Amino acid sequence: MSGFGHYARTADELEREIVKRGIAIGLDWDDKARLRELAQQALSCTPGCMMKLLRSPVRQDKLTGELFALSELMLINMRQSAETGMHTHGGPAWKAFGRALYEAYDAGASIARTEV
């Protein structure tokens, strides 16, 4: 195991921030249809789209952009930990949104962002 990866701690921190954004935008983590809709939006959001959301004066848009950015960090954390042989995941919100992202991707959602 690499001595520099703090994947579990990062997952816990991301989970807390994902939950906060979800609460702020009124997200129900059991609403699979809404999660799928958000996941499709997140996957198709270009860097320009992301910046527009993050810079929006509309609080709901900004929080949605932050949720999308956090989900990208979530996927990066899982990928990097898997590359070191670790299985990393967060709590219920992480799992619910992660599942929706994978389902949206499997259903053919286009990924507009460049890989980080």
Side-chain angles (χ1 to χ4, degrees), residues 35-86:
L35 289 175
R36 271 193 306 273
E37 177 186 317
L38 274 174
Q40 289 172 340
Q41 290 173 2
L43 291 173
S44 63
C45 192
T46 64
C49 162
M50 183 70 75
M51 292 311 298
K52 182 178 178 184
L53 288 171
L54 292 171
R55 292 179 177 163
S56 175
V58 178
R59 185 172 187 262
Q60 193 84 353
D61 290 347
K62 183 174 181 157
L63 292 167
T64 300
E66 291 174 2
L67 178 65
F68 292 176
L70 289 165
S71 70
E72 191 166 334
L73 292 173
M74 174 183 77
L75 294 172
I76 290 168
N77 189 55
M78 287 191 302
R79 179 181 45 98
Q80 288 176 344
S81 69
E83 288 171 354
T84 64
M86 296 181 65

Side-chain angles (χ1 to χ4, degrees), residues 27-39 96-97 100:
L27 190 57
D28 174 1
W29 297 108
D30 294 322
D31 184 348
K32 292 181 181 182
R34 174 83 167 114
L35 289 175
R36 271 193 306 273
E37 177 186 317
L38 274 174
F97 198 49

Side-chain angles (χ1 to χ4, degrees), residues 12-26:
D12 291 342
E13 292 169 358
L14 287 169
E15 170 78 11
R16 275 192 301 278
E17 296 306 315
I18 288 168
V19 168
K20 287 179 189 178
R21 290 348 177 262
I23 290 169
I25 63 174

